[in-house]
Amino acid sequence: MISFKAFLRGWDHFFYKRTDASALCIFRIMFGFFLFLNGISLVEDFQVWYGIGDNALIPLHDSLNFYSNFRINVYRWLSPTETSAWMVLIAYITTSVFVMVGFKTRISTIICFILMVSMQNRNYSILNSGDTLMRCMLFLMMFAPTHVKYSVDAYLSEKKGLPYRTDISLLTIRLMQLQFSLVYLATTLFKLKGYDWVDGTAVYYTSRLVNFQRIVLPFVFDFPFLIKFATWSALFIEFAMGSLVWIKEFRLPVLFAGLLLHLGIEVSMSIGFFEWVMIAAYILFLEPKEVKWLQQCLPQIVRRQLRTASSNFF
Amino acid sequence: MSRVRKIFISGFIILNFLSMIRVHLPMGNKIVSQIYQPVDSYLSFFSLFQSWTMFAPDPSRANVHLSAEVEFMDGTKDTYFFPRASTMNLEDKFAFGERYRVISDVIRKDQNDFLWIDTAKFALRKLRANNYHKIPLKVNLVRHWNEISDVESNFVPHLSKNTNFNSYEFFTYEVL
């Protein structure tokens, strides 16, 4: 049995222990970049998804009636004009850049969230898992001190002689980690309810869905035993990402396996920004010393690769 | 950190825990639903509902796309095919193919019949430029699909294209 005092101590340690902000701030940069790309990807078909005039698939007044719940939607308060519809997207893209570079970070994150949710509520029928993940992560990011490092805010503050404290409470990182784990755990449980994941054939069917297909992977999807291996590996890795990742000894191997899983899916299938946001969120599971190691090693590796590539080229 | 602030923040954590549990576990029980009423309002306001059922419990076994056939008063017909991710190049597929895949998947389902009139009108507008002098009578929304063969009985090689589709008119919008 655990005493209440010990429980509170554990709670305190889990949520309020202080840690270096590097991982969170690097995540902010990567996440901001994906928010930005997401905004840019909406420009081409903006009229179809969010337009006001004849080009819109779902007219604004209909969408407000379909989804008329008590929820954030700036379209309710704006005049129904093309200009205001465009302004929402432009403001979303602008604030996503602000999130990425860390300028007025907190308020930019809040505005970016409100605009993103409004656009998603404007047309709920085009949302994929990447949109859901970005919405949930951005919500938690509103409460996170993502501005204390690698940001314009931090630079300006330091210039004024008032540098931010870079050791932060683990609280928001923990909430993001929990959200992240829950995605994996939930999907594993749902998949275990079916037959195809259990009997090892699910990847056969997913790889034959033509709208998802991207690049030809030789062999992998053409042999039943490889299909079984891929199906069960995916299922086990997803389960591990939701559970074993919390155990110190398993954390790094599980993260590495998860990284391979997402890269494999990204190469072979097209599922929006889901895989990239998941990969970016992996950094939240790294210890400060591991983040530091990555920060030191990655630029060296990239520089070495670039040097080799340029010497080969010339 | 002050005790009051800590209690407030812990309350926030618990609320988020409850909401995460709420969206992931089926809770049909009336009493539980009553208890969760405030959490539901919170989730709804911030749009924090989430569902992680892609390819679950089983992946789809059908490749589906949509078209809309417009019949004109002079007896002619014209067809609008909704964009398909499968016919796009890599960049287009990455940038917006997924959105068209999702919306086709949403529209084809009977539970989303409230979208059908708008979809039919949209197709009609798309075809207007080529048929501006004609009077449209009706718009038929059509599902096209082919089943992925069973893995045991007929193993289909990866990336082999099945161009034979079944078709079914699932909605007719009378324009006049």
Side-chain angles (χ1 to χ4, degrees), chain A residues 12 16 38 54 56 62 72 128 131 135 171 179 195-197 204 208 210-211 213-214 216 222, chain B residues 6 9-10 13 47 49-50 55 58 61 63 86 93-94 98-99 118 125 128 149 156 158-159:
Chain A
D12 245 28
Y16 297 105
N38 180 47
D54 267 3
D62 281 354
I72 296 172
N128 58 36
D131 294 306
R135 186 176 67 232
L171 179 71
Q179 165 66 65
Y195 296 102
D196 297 342
W197 289 96
Y204 167 80
R208 268 74 181 166
V210 292
N211 283 323
Q213 286 171 351
R214 185 173 273 169
V216 188
D222 275 328
Chain B
K6 220 171 209 178
I9 293 171
S10 296
I13 297 167
S47 300
F49 285 106
Q50 41 186 305
F55 304 135
D58 288 313
R61 295 189 179 206
N63 285 305
S86 59
K93 201 182 240 191
F94 181 79
E98 174 66 359
R99 306 251 174 240
D118 283 335
R125 290 194 296 268
R128 194 164 48 196
S149 311
V156 181
H158 187 223
L159 298 181

Side-chain angles (χ1 to χ4, degrees), chain A residues 11-12 15-16 38 41-42 44-45 49 54-59 62 66 70-72 113 117 121 125-129 131-133 135-136 139 143 171 178-179 182-183 186-187 190-191 194-197 201-202 204-214 216 221-222 227 266 269-271, chain B residues 1 6 9-10 12-14 16-17 20 24 41-42 44-64 82 84-86 90 93-96 98-103 106-107 114-115 118-119 122 125-126 128 148-151 154-159 161:
Chain A
W11 177 278
D12 245 28
F15 284 112
Y16 297 105
N38 180 47
S41 77
L42 293 170
E44 172 92 9
D45 288 318
W49 308 136
D54 267 3
N55 289 324
L57 203 158
I58 302 169
D62 281 354
F66 297 154
F70 169 66
R71 52 176 71 181
I72 296 172
F113 175 78
V117 168
N121 286 331
S125 43
I126 56 167
L127 304 184
N128 58 36
S129 47
D131 294 306
T132 309
L133 184 65
R135 186 176 67 232
C136 295
F139 173 76
F143 305 97
L171 179 71
L178 285 168
Q179 165 66 65
L182 212 69
V183 174
T187 194
F190 281 121
K191 282 171 181 166
Y195 296 102
D196 297 342
W197 289 96
T201 57
Y204 167 80
Y205 296 106
T206 57
S207 59
R208 268 74 181 166
L209 291 169
V210 292
N211 283 323
F212 287 102
Q213 286 171 351
R214 185 173 273 169
V216 188
F221 302 122
D222 275 328
I227 285 171
E266 184 57 28
M269 299 185 93
S270 188
I271 317 183
Chain B
M1 194 183 286
K6 220 171 209 178
I9 293 171
S10 296
F12 173 72
I13 297 167
I14 291 165
N16 273 284
F17 264 137
M20 283 177 186
H24 286 100
S41 305
Y42 170 75
S44 178
F45 184 73
F46 290 106
S47 300
L48 293 178
F49 285 106
Q50 41 186 305
S51 163
W52 306 109
T53 52
M54 194 174 205
F55 304 135
D58 288 313
S60 166
R61 295 189 179 206
N63 285 305
V64 186
F82 289 86
R84 294 152 65 180
S86 59
L90 268 182
K93 201 182 240 191
F94 181 79
F96 34 80
E98 174 66 359
R99 306 251 174 240
Y100 282 105
R101 181 198 66 78
V102 175
I103 199 156
V106 168
I107 291 170
F114 59 93
L115 293 170
D118 283 335
T119 307
F122 174 77
R125 290 194 296 268
K126 283 282 174 189
R128 194 164 48 196
I148 299 167
S149 311
D150 191 75
V151 65
N154 184 17
F155 189 96
V156 181
H158 187 223
L159 298 181
K161 296 264 185 237

Side-chain angles (χ1 to χ4, degrees), chain B residues 30 62 87 153-154 168:
Chain B
K30 266 189 181 171
T87 57
S153 57
N154 184 17
Y168 171 67

Side-chain angles (χ1 to χ4, degrees), chain A residues 23-277:
Chain A
L24 181 68
C25 297
I26 294 171
F27 174 69
R28 186 207 74 233
I29 297 169
M30 293 193 284
F31 188 60
F33 179 64
F34 297 129
L35 291 173
F36 170 74
L37 282 186
N38 180 47
I40 295 294
S41 77
L42 293 170
V43 172
E44 172 92 9
D45 288 318
F46 179 79
Q47 301 282 353
V48 179
W49 308 136
Y50 306 107
I52 301 295
D54 267 3
N55 289 324
L57 203 158
I58 302 169
L60 177 63
H61 55 87
D62 281 354
S63 86
L64 291 177
N65 290 336
F66 297 154
Y67 319 118
S68 61
N69 293 341
F70 169 66
R71 52 176 71 181
I72 296 172
N73 192 344
V74 294
Y75 289 94
R76 283 186 186 284
W77 311 312
L78 293 173
S79 60
T81 61
E82 286 292 331
T83 315
S84 59
W86 272 108
M87 286 309 290
V88 174
L89 180 67
I90 292 166
Y92 166 74
I93 293 172
T94 310
T95 50
S96 69
V97 174
F98 285 179
V99 171
M100 181 168 58
V101 299
F103 179 64
K104 303 281 178 202
T105 317
R106 183 86 68 178
I107 190 72
S108 297
T109 312
I110 293 170
I111 296 171
C112 192
F113 175 78
I114 292 170
L115 296 171
M116 174 197 257
V117 168
S118 300
M119 287 201 297
Q120 293 192 355
N121 286 331
R122 162 71 181 88
N123 193 346
Y124 216 72
S125 43
I126 56 167
L127 304 184
N128 58 36
S129 47
D131 294 306
T132 309
L133 184 65
M134 285 201 269
R135 186 176 67 232
C136 295
M137 291 303 245
L138 194 57
F139 173 76
L140 294 173
M141 264 182 69
M142 293 195 300
F143 305 97
T146 56
H147 58 287
V148 296
K149 265 185 150 181
Y150 316 129
S151 66
V152 176
D153 287 345
Y155 172 76
L156 294 176
S157 187
E158 201 169 334
K159 226 175 152 190
K160 276 188 213 159
L162 299 163
Y164 294 127
R165 261 183 86 168
T166 55
D167 64 319
I168 57 165
S169 155
L170 264 172
L171 179 71
T172 42
I173 295 179
R174 287 286 189 233
L175 284 176
M176 287 187 198
Q177 289 172 336
L178 285 168
Q179 165 66 65
F180 178 79
S181 275
L182 212 69
V183 174
Y184 286 109
L185 219 50
T187 194
T188 310
L189 292 175
F190 281 121
K191 282 171 181 166
L192 285 174
K193 278 187 187 171
Y195 296 102
D196 297 342
W197 289 96
V198 178
D199 74 6
T201 57
V203 166
Y204 167 80
Y205 296 106
T206 57
S207 59
R208 268 74 181 166
L209 291 169
V210 292
N211 283 323
F212 287 102
Q213 286 171 351
R214 185 173 273 169
I215 290 169
V216 188
L217 283 184
F219 310 122
V220 181
F221 302 122
D222 275 328
F223 293 97
F225 72 95
L226 283 177
I227 285 171
K228 277 198 167 134
F229 176 74
T231 304
W232 288 331
S233 305
L235 198 60
F236 179 73
I237 292 168
E238 284 177 343
F239 166 74
M241 284 303 304
S243 54
L244 299 180
V245 75
W246 293 97
I247 300 169
K248 205 175 173 183
E249 288 77 9
F250 297 136
R251 186 177 48 90
L252 283 178
V254 167
L255 286 175
F256 185 65
L259 180 69
L260 291 182
L261 171 74
H262 285 297
L263 288 176
I265 296 173
E266 184 57 28
V267 168
S268 57
M269 299 185 93
S270 188
I271 317 183
F273 294 99
F274 180 77
E275 309 301 331
W276 291 110
V277 176

Side-chain angles (χ1 to χ4, degrees), chain B residues 26-41:
Chain B
M27 289 182 183
N29 187 306
K30 266 189 181 171
I31 299 169
V32 177
S33 296
Q34 283 292 322
I35 295 168
Y36 264 103
Q37 195 81 43
V39 177
D40 282 348
S41 305

